[in-house]
Amino acid sequence: MERIEPMDILRAPSPEEVILAKIAKWVKTSKDDLKENCTTVVFKKNTPQSILDLFQKNTDLFVAITDLKVKKKYELER
């Protein structure tokens, strides 16, 4: 069994990071609208509905990644 050091807990991802990682696996690209200071996320074709729902509930977490506001409305790649 691997020995766990006291500082190992500091490397554990936060719940927010876990959510972002789940969503990021399915993101194809994004479309920036600099006039409105926002972006629209484009997901891969076969993205599960559960990921799309998770995205809509957690768009505020993307502030950590981009300075633009992320729209709750998304697109699927064609």
Side-chain angles (χ1 to χ4, degrees):
M1 185 189 309
E2 184 179 346
R3 182 169 181 235
I4 298 175
E5 297 295 325
M7 295 301 285
D8 285 348
I9 191 70
L10 297 177
R11 289 185 282 180
S14 69
E16 292 83 7
E17 290 171 325
V18 171
I19 291 170
L20 284 173
K22 285 180 184 178
I23 295 169
K25 289 180 188 176
W26 293 96
V27 172
K28 178 74 174 183
T29 189
S30 65
K31 297 178 182 178
D32 296 344
D33 183 351
L34 299 178
K35 288 182 183 177
E36 293 185 29
N37 197 34
C38 61
T39 188
T40 303
V41 175
V42 180
F43 285 94
K44 297 175 185 175
K45 287 181 187 178
N46 300 329
T47 305
Q49 187 63 45
S50 61
I51 297 296
L52 299 173
D53 293 341
L54 188 64
F55 167 76
Q56 287 188 316
K57 291 177 187 173
N58 294 287
T59 54
D60 56 322
L61 297 179
F62 285 86
V63 172
I65 297 173
T66 180
D67 292 334
L68 300 174
K69 182 179 184 242
V70 177
K71 291 184 179 179
K72 287 188 182 285
K73 186 175 180 182
Y74 56 82
E75 295 180 15
L76 294 173
E77 76 174 327
R78 297 174 191 195

